[in-house]
Amino acid sequence: MKFLLTLLLLSFAGVATAQAQTAPTAASTASPDKNKELLLVDAACGQCRLGLPGKSCDLAIRMDGKAYFVDGTTIDSHGDAHAKDGFCNSVRKAQVQGEVADGRFKATYFKLVPEPAKAH
């Protein structure tokens, strides 16, 4: 009986953790503020593609030639970072709103621009 109870608790913990990791974050689901400029920026993994320091994969943008880590959304909120078109393997375009504070981009809106269809 103890074994079954432990197994049940671990199952619930695993489901809750998986949902927390895949749940969209505020900036990725918000609507843009019509009173603020919508910026088109490069978006990618800060460490893998934009030359920022660190040992894990974290979302970053490049704006006006400078890279910033992003707060308000995460690298995993926009698909598999290690997929062929993921942030660790390609630089994508994104529409964003927010501001730079303390050396980081504080996103209030973040949306990937669809990649153009490739001709066959």
Side-chain angles (χ1 to χ4, degrees), residues 27-40:
S28 63
T29 58
S31 296
D33 183 339
K34 294 177 180 157
N35 298 316
K36 294 183 180 177
E37 182 180 6
L38 200 56
L39 305 171
L40 184 65

Side-chain angles (χ1 to χ4, degrees), residues 84-104:
K84 182 180 177 184
D85 64 344
F87 287 132
C88 292
N89 293 313
S90 64
V91 177
R92 303 275 307 272
K93 293 290 184 189
Q95 293 178 326
V96 300
Q97 287 179 330
E99 64 183 4
V100 175
D102 300 322
R104 298 178 67 91

Side-chain angles (χ1 to χ4, degrees), residues 9-28:
L9 288 173
L10 288 174
S11 296
F12 283 127
V15 168
T17 301
Q19 287 176 343
Q21 290 175 348
T22 59
T25 55
S28 63

Side-chain angles (χ1 to χ4, degrees), residues 42-62 67-70 74-76 78-83 85-94 110 112:
D42 291 333
C45 174
Q47 292 86 344
C48 296
R49 294 283 164 214
L50 299 182
L52 291 172
K55 295 187 183 199
S56 64
C57 296
D58 299 297
L59 182 59
I61 63 163
R62 183 171 44 220
Y68 302 94
F69 284 118
V70 175
T74 67
I75 198 165
D76 293 320
H78 306 281
D80 180 2
H82 295 102
D85 64 344
F87 287 132
C88 292
N89 293 313
S90 64
V91 177
R92 303 275 307 272
K93 293 290 184 189
F110 187 102
L112 279 178

Side-chain angles (χ1 to χ4, degrees), residues 1-18:
M1 184 70 171
K2 265 187 174 180
F3 175 75
L4 289 176
L5 184 58
T6 303
L7 185 59
L8 185 61
L9 288 173
L10 288 174
S11 296
F12 283 127
V15 168
T17 301

